[in-house]
Amino acid sequence: METDDRAPTQHLGDTLSALIDGELTDDAAASARAHLAGCRACEAEMAAVDQVRSWLRDLPPVEPPADFYRRIRSSEPEAASTPATPTLLTAVPATAVPATAVPATARASTTATVRPRRRSGVVALVGCAAATAVVLGVAAPHDPETTPPVGRFIEAHATAAGGDPVTHLAPVVVPVSFRR
Amino acid sequence: MRGRISEGVLVLVLVASVPAGSGTAFAWDTGPLPQSGNEPATPVENPFDKAREAATTLAFTGTVDVDWDGAGGRHSDHLRVQAAGGSLEVRGESTLMAESEGARMVRRPGGKWDLLWSGPEVSPVRPALGEKYEVATVAPPEPVTVASRPTEIVEIRQAGTVRERLFVDAANGLLLKREQLDGRGHATRVVAFSSIDLEPDTSPPPSPPRLTDESPDRLKSVSAPAALPGGYRRLDAYREDDTVHVLYSDGLYDLSVFRQRGALDDGDLPASGTRVRIGSGRGWVYGWPGGQVLVWEAGHSVFSLVSEAPTEDLVAVARALPTDGGGSVVDRMRRVCHNLLEPLSP
């Protein structure tokens, strides 16, 4: 594992994307740039993200099918009432970028951009698991709960058992509680 | 437990390696008697048969002490016993058990009488004591008395280890003291007369004024193993409400298997139990003054074993009992999910 003795313990992470998109306040942007100046890892990630964006910008425009917008309008009237101009980043999924077209360093650093998507996947998986647990634990039929009447069983055993009556019956008379 | 087993194995190896006649070297196998463990066994008749006959034909009154190892250490209780005219009653602080002409009944603390056992329609034939155990009379150097009565001592051994030591009234065969020993010779359970009057001026105990029949129904057939590990053989089977009771015996100890449909609600079980592993599940062992109880869940049933037999016997039986499914992956997932959601339910 590589270490960076210049780097602080907290890297920019998602803040990097916000910095590139110009979404940070002046103070936050200044702080992020100061971090970048001293952190080799974040500096490299910044360069890689810029590279990916450059590759994406250079891709040819994609023409949607002729009835694309009509279908959107017919299925989602609310969305259709406020038509948005699709950008390349939203119209083209990340998987549309050929892996061979992206340098290895850039591929490695795309984790910052796809992290939210992974989070969504994890959330979906957890949701499915929780739903399954509810179905199995509540909806599926299960056996009624039973607490054995241990004292009654002891009586039944002692009275059915053979042998000497004194030594068999005497222990049953001794008061013992089997309740919590 | 592992340490105990190892010690037990070591003891057996040592005993087996000692020449005959040198048994007195193992005086650590304690009890109130000088040891005579390796003396040749003198075949004797089943002492319990003789004791039973004496207890149901003689007239006597006395006090009986019950001492046992249970949760929190050694426990002790004192009871009064009275017998006359074929009837016998054992009276505790608030409960009374009585036997008359094969029927067994209990008087509850509130004064209510329940008939627990109406007597067997068919007397189950138990395996011979000698099939699994050796029965031997012991000749101590000094006469041993219990409640001032001279006794004969009978030891019941299994593979050289004394399981039970019985002190039988030399004059009439009444069982005056019974010790149950663990593998190290410690008496884990003792029932003994502390006083007895064999010529009492007493009449038979009065019959109960009103008796509620709580006795189980005898089943004509049952789906249960005919034999279980440890030489236990099925004797009979009964049903009470939703519980099936199958009675087994190895000749010395009777063992009851109770089966109820459902899932074990262990939240209401006492916390004093010892946890044991039964298959892929777990069970709890509880001591009572007369023996052990083992409770566990398997398949779609809750099982309870009750016996005077050692805990090892109960665990071996529990592990060998067949279950009715419920161990599938889906069933296990369902149980896990149900347990996870249980704290969230109102």
mmCIF file of all heavy atoms in Angstrom, chain A residues 10 14 18 26 36 42 55 60 64 67 71 78 89 102 106 111 119 125 134 151 159-160 162 176-177:
data_model
loop_
_atom_site.group_PDB
_atom_site.id
_atom_site.type_symbol
_atom_site.label_atom_id
_atom_site.label_comp_id
_atom_site.label_asym_id
_atom_site.label_seq_id
_atom_site.Cartn_x
_atom_site.Cartn_y
_atom_site.Cartn_z
ATOM 1 N N GLN A 10 -7.534 13.321 5.762
ATOM 2 C CA GLN A 10 -8.820 13.427 5.077
ATOM 3 C C GLN A 10 -8.592 13.927 3.653
ATOM 4 O O GLN A 10 -8.112 15.043 3.440
ATOM 5 C CB GLN A 10 -9.713 14.419 5.815
ATOM 6 C CG GLN A 10 -10.153 13.955 7.189
ATOM 7 C CD GLN A 10 -11.115 12.787 7.114
ATOM 8 O OE1 GLN A 10 -11.936 12.720 6.198
ATOM 9 N NE2 GLN A 10 -10.991 11.849 8.035
ATOM 10 N N ASP A 14 -15.648 13.496 -2.483
ATOM 11 C CA ASP A 14 -16.728 14.120 -3.276
ATOM 12 C C ASP A 14 -16.528 15.625 -3.441
ATOM 13 O O ASP A 14 -17.055 16.231 -4.392
ATOM 14 C CB ASP A 14 -18.071 13.837 -2.623
ATOM 15 C CG ASP A 14 -18.479 12.392 -2.788
ATOM 16 O OD1 ASP A 14 -17.922 11.713 -3.684
ATOM 17 O OD2 ASP A 14 -19.342 11.938 -2.030
ATOM 18 N N ALA A 18 -17.274 18.564 -6.564
ATOM 19 C CA ALA A 18 -17.956 19.846 -6.328
ATOM 20 C C ALA A 18 -17.052 21.009 -6.703
ATOM 21 O O ALA A 18 -17.501 22.024 -7.250
ATOM 22 C CB ALA A 18 -18.361 19.930 -4.849
ATOM 23 N N ASP A 26 -16.628 30.236 -1.831
ATOM 24 C CA ASP A 26 -15.262 30.727 -2.030
ATOM 25 C C ASP A 26 -14.308 30.175 -0.970
ATOM 26 O O ASP A 26 -13.199 29.742 -1.272
ATOM 27 C CB ASP A 26 -15.256 32.264 -1.987
ATOM 28 C CG ASP A 26 -15.991 32.848 -3.202
ATOM 29 O OD1 ASP A 26 -16.203 32.069 -4.173
ATOM 30 O OD2 ASP A 26 -16.340 34.022 -3.169
ATOM 31 N N LEU A 36 -5.256 20.503 -2.164
ATOM 32 C CA LEU A 36 -4.722 19.929 -3.402
ATOM 33 C C LEU A 36 -3.232 20.229 -3.551
ATOM 34 O O LEU A 36 -2.468 19.373 -4.017
ATOM 35 C CB LEU A 36 -5.472 20.521 -4.605
ATOM 36 C CG LEU A 36 -6.724 19.808 -5.073
ATOM 37 C CD1 LEU A 36 -7.398 20.605 -6.177
ATOM 38 C CD2 LEU A 36 -6.346 18.419 -5.598
ATOM 39 N N CYS A 42 -4.816 13.524 -4.009
ATOM 40 C CA CYS A 42 -5.952 14.316 -4.497
ATOM 41 C C CYS A 42 -5.592 15.033 -5.794
ATOM 42 O O CYS A 42 -6.429 15.205 -6.693
ATOM 43 C CB CYS A 42 -6.396 15.319 -3.442
ATOM 44 S SG CYS A 42 -7.236 14.531 -2.052
ATOM 45 N N TRP A 55 -12.201 13.229 -22.088
ATOM 46 C CA TRP A 55 -12.591 12.156 -23.006
ATOM 47 C C TRP A 55 -14.072 12.226 -23.319
ATOM 48 O O TRP A 55 -14.501 12.073 -24.447
ATOM 49 C CB TRP A 55 -12.274 10.789 -22.386
ATOM 50 C CG TRP A 55 -10.842 10.391 -22.507
ATOM 51 C CD1 TRP A 55 -9.901 10.465 -21.557
ATOM 52 C CD2 TRP A 55 -10.208 9.873 -23.671
ATOM 53 N NE1 TRP A 55 -8.693 10.024 -22.015
ATOM 54 C CE2 TRP A 55 -8.853 9.650 -23.333
ATOM 55 C CE3 TRP A 55 -10.623 9.584 -24.987
ATOM 56 C CZ2 TRP A 55 -7.927 9.155 -24.231
ATOM 57 C CZ3 TRP A 55 -9.688 9.072 -25.871
ATOM 58 C CH2 TRP A 55 -8.357 8.875 -25.478
ATOM 59 N N PRO A 60 -18.468 11.982 -29.773
ATOM 60 C CA PRO A 60 -19.419 12.624 -30.688
ATOM 61 C C PRO A 60 -20.791 12.727 -30.043
ATOM 62 O O PRO A 60 -21.156 11.892 -29.224
ATOM 63 C CB PRO A 60 -19.441 11.686 -31.892
ATOM 64 C CG PRO A 60 -19.004 10.383 -31.365
ATOM 65 C CD PRO A 60 -18.060 10.671 -30.260
ATOM 66 N N PRO A 64 -30.687 11.129 -30.104
ATOM 67 C CA PRO A 64 -31.701 10.214 -29.581
ATOM 68 C C PRO A 64 -32.620 9.741 -30.696
ATOM 69 O O PRO A 64 -32.706 10.384 -31.741
ATOM 70 C CB PRO A 64 -32.456 11.090 -28.572
ATOM 71 C CG PRO A 64 -32.223 12.486 -29.033
ATOM 72 C CD PRO A 64 -30.899 12.502 -29.697
ATOM 73 N N ASP A 67 -38.517 9.227 -31.731
ATOM 74 C CA ASP A 67 -39.683 9.399 -30.845
ATOM 75 C C ASP A 67 -39.277 9.433 -29.366
ATOM 76 O O ASP A 67 -40.110 9.223 -28.484
ATOM 77 C CB ASP A 67 -40.690 8.276 -31.084
ATOM 78 C CG ASP A 67 -40.088 6.922 -30.792
ATOM 79 O OD1 ASP A 67 -38.830 6.826 -30.688
ATOM 80 O OD2 ASP A 67 -40.847 5.954 -30.655
ATOM 81 N N ARG A 71 -41.954 9.854 -26.271
ATOM 82 C CA ARG A 71 -42.223 8.783 -25.307
ATOM 83 C C ARG A 71 -42.056 9.288 -23.875
ATOM 84 O O ARG A 71 -42.810 8.935 -22.978
ATOM 85 C CB ARG A 71 -41.312 7.586 -25.565
ATOM 86 C CG ARG A 71 -41.838 6.691 -26.685
ATOM 87 C CD ARG A 71 -41.070 5.382 -26.754
ATOM 88 N NE ARG A 71 -39.756 5.592 -27.345
ATOM 89 C CZ ARG A 71 -38.676 4.894 -26.992
ATOM 90 N NH1 ARG A 71 -38.758 3.996 -26.044
ATOM 91 N NH2 ARG A 71 -37.522 5.134 -27.562
ATOM 92 N N GLU A 78 -45.294 15.136 -15.915
ATOM 93 C CA GLU A 78 -44.715 16.200 -15.102
ATOM 94 C C GLU A 78 -43.354 16.617 -15.642
ATOM 95 O O GLU A 78 -43.032 17.794 -15.768
ATOM 96 C CB GLU A 78 -44.563 15.759 -13.644
ATOM 97 C CG GLU A 78 -45.871 15.431 -12.964
ATOM 98 C CD GLU A 78 -46.251 13.991 -13.206
ATOM 99 O OE1 GLU A 78 -45.549 13.292 -13.951
ATOM 100 O OE2 GLU A 78 -47.269 13.574 -12.660
ATOM 101 N N LEU A 89 -23.457 14.341 -20.269
ATOM 102 C CA LEU A 89 -23.184 13.554 -19.069
ATOM 103 C C LEU A 89 -24.425 12.821 -18.567
ATOM 104 O O LEU A 89 -24.330 11.749 -18.018
ATOM 105 C CB LEU A 89 -22.650 14.463 -17.958
ATOM 106 C CG LEU A 89 -21.184 14.832 -18.106
ATOM 107 C CD1 LEU A 89 -20.817 15.872 -17.056
ATOM 108 C CD2 LEU A 89 -20.299 13.613 -17.959
ATOM 109 N N VAL A 102 -10.085 4.669 -22.072
ATOM 110 C CA VAL A 102 -9.762 5.427 -20.870
ATOM 111 C C VAL A 102 -8.430 4.941 -20.319
ATOM 112 O O VAL A 102 -8.245 3.747 -20.120
ATOM 113 C CB VAL A 102 -10.854 5.245 -19.799
ATOM 114 C CG1 VAL A 102 -10.551 6.070 -18.566
ATOM 115 C CG2 VAL A 102 -12.205 5.617 -20.384
ATOM 116 N N ALA A 106 -6.851 6.988 -15.256
ATOM 117 C CA ALA A 106 -8.155 7.627 -15.218
ATOM 118 C C ALA A 106 -9.220 6.653 -14.758
ATOM 119 O O ALA A 106 -10.125 6.994 -14.002
ATOM 120 C CB ALA A 106 -8.498 8.155 -16.600
ATOM 121 N N THR A 111 -13.599 6.124 -9.542
ATOM 122 C CA THR A 111 -14.360 5.687 -8.370
ATOM 123 C C THR A 111 -15.037 6.863 -7.715
ATOM 124 O O THR A 111 -16.127 6.727 -7.183
ATOM 125 C CB THR A 111 -13.447 4.989 -7.355
ATOM 126 O OG1 THR A 111 -12.335 5.857 -7.115
ATOM 127 C CG2 THR A 111 -12.960 3.665 -7.870
ATOM 128 N N ARG A 119 -23.435 3.584 -3.971
ATOM 129 C CA ARG A 119 -24.202 3.741 -2.730
ATOM 130 C C ARG A 119 -25.668 3.406 -2.980
ATOM 131 O O ARG A 119 -26.323 2.753 -2.179
ATOM 132 C CB ARG A 119 -24.078 5.164 -2.212
ATOM 133 C CG ARG A 119 -22.771 5.416 -1.509
ATOM 134 C CD ARG A 119 -22.895 6.580 -0.544
ATOM 135 N NE ARG A 119 -21.563 6.991 -0.113
ATOM 136 C CZ ARG A 119 -21.002 8.147 -0.397
ATOM 137 N NH1 ARG A 119 -21.657 9.039 -1.090
ATOM 138 N NH2 ARG A 119 -19.792 8.428 0.033
ATOM 139 N N LEU A 125 -29.864 -2.964 -2.241
ATOM 140 C CA LEU A 125 -29.659 -4.327 -1.741
ATOM 141 C C LEU A 125 -30.137 -4.465 -0.299
ATOM 142 O O LEU A 125 -30.809 -5.430 0.067
ATOM 143 C CB LEU A 125 -28.174 -4.697 -1.825
ATOM 144 C CG LEU A 125 -27.701 -5.225 -3.170
ATOM 145 C CD1 LEU A 125 -26.186 -5.394 -3.161
ATOM 146 C CD2 LEU A 125 -28.367 -6.546 -3.494
ATOM 147 N N VAL A 134 -38.604 -9.182 6.445
ATOM 148 C CA VAL A 134 -39.966 -8.919 6.931
ATOM 149 C C VAL A 134 -40.914 -9.996 6.437
ATOM 150 O O VAL A 134 -41.731 -10.531 7.196
ATOM 151 C CB VAL A 134 -40.435 -7.524 6.473
ATOM 152 C CG1 VAL A 134 -41.928 -7.360 6.739
ATOM 153 C CG2 VAL A 134 -39.649 -6.440 7.200
ATOM 154 N N GLY A 151 -42.474 -28.280 35.540
ATOM 155 C CA GLY A 151 -42.936 -28.857 36.805
ATOM 156 C C GLY A 151 -43.982 -29.943 36.585
ATOM 157 O O GLY A 151 -43.944 -30.998 37.229
ATOM 158 N N THR A 159 -44.637 -39.954 38.428
ATOM 159 C CA THR A 159 -45.771 -40.825 38.707
ATOM 160 C C THR A 159 -45.829 -42.010 37.746
ATOM 161 O O THR A 159 -46.385 -43.055 38.083
ATOM 162 C CB THR A 159 -47.092 -40.039 38.641
ATOM 163 O OG1 THR A 159 -47.134 -39.289 37.437
ATOM 164 C CG2 THR A 159 -47.214 -39.094 39.808
ATOM 165 N N ALA A 160 -45.265 -41.859 36.553
ATOM 166 C CA ALA A 160 -45.252 -42.975 35.608
ATOM 167 C C ALA A 160 -44.082 -43.912 35.863
ATOM 168 O O ALA A 160 -44.120 -45.080 35.462
ATOM 169 C CB ALA A 160 -45.177 -42.447 34.169
ATOM 170 N N GLY A 162 -41.323 -46.339 37.552
ATOM 171 C CA GLY A 162 -41.436 -47.471 38.474
ATOM 172 C C GLY A 162 -40.433 -47.338 39.603
ATOM 173 O O GLY A 162 -39.923 -46.255 39.881
ATOM 174 N N VAL A 176 -39.756 -26.572 43.923
ATOM 175 C CA VAL A 176 -38.745 -25.991 43.041
ATOM 176 C C VAL A 176 -39.476 -25.220 41.951
ATOM 177 O O VAL A 176 -40.437 -25.730 41.377
ATOM 178 C CB VAL A 176 -37.866 -27.091 42.389
ATOM 179 C CG1 VAL A 176 -36.874 -26.472 41.428
ATOM 180 C CG2 VAL A 176 -37.139 -27.886 43.450
ATOM 181 N N SER A 177 -39.041 -24.013 41.690
ATOM 182 C CA SER A 177 -39.686 -23.207 40.655
ATOM 183 C C SER A 177 -38.930 -23.336 39.337
ATOM 184 O O SER A 177 -37.710 -23.240 39.314
ATOM 185 C CB SER A 177 -39.734 -21.741 41.077
ATOM 186 O OG SER A 177 -40.195 -20.962 40.006
#
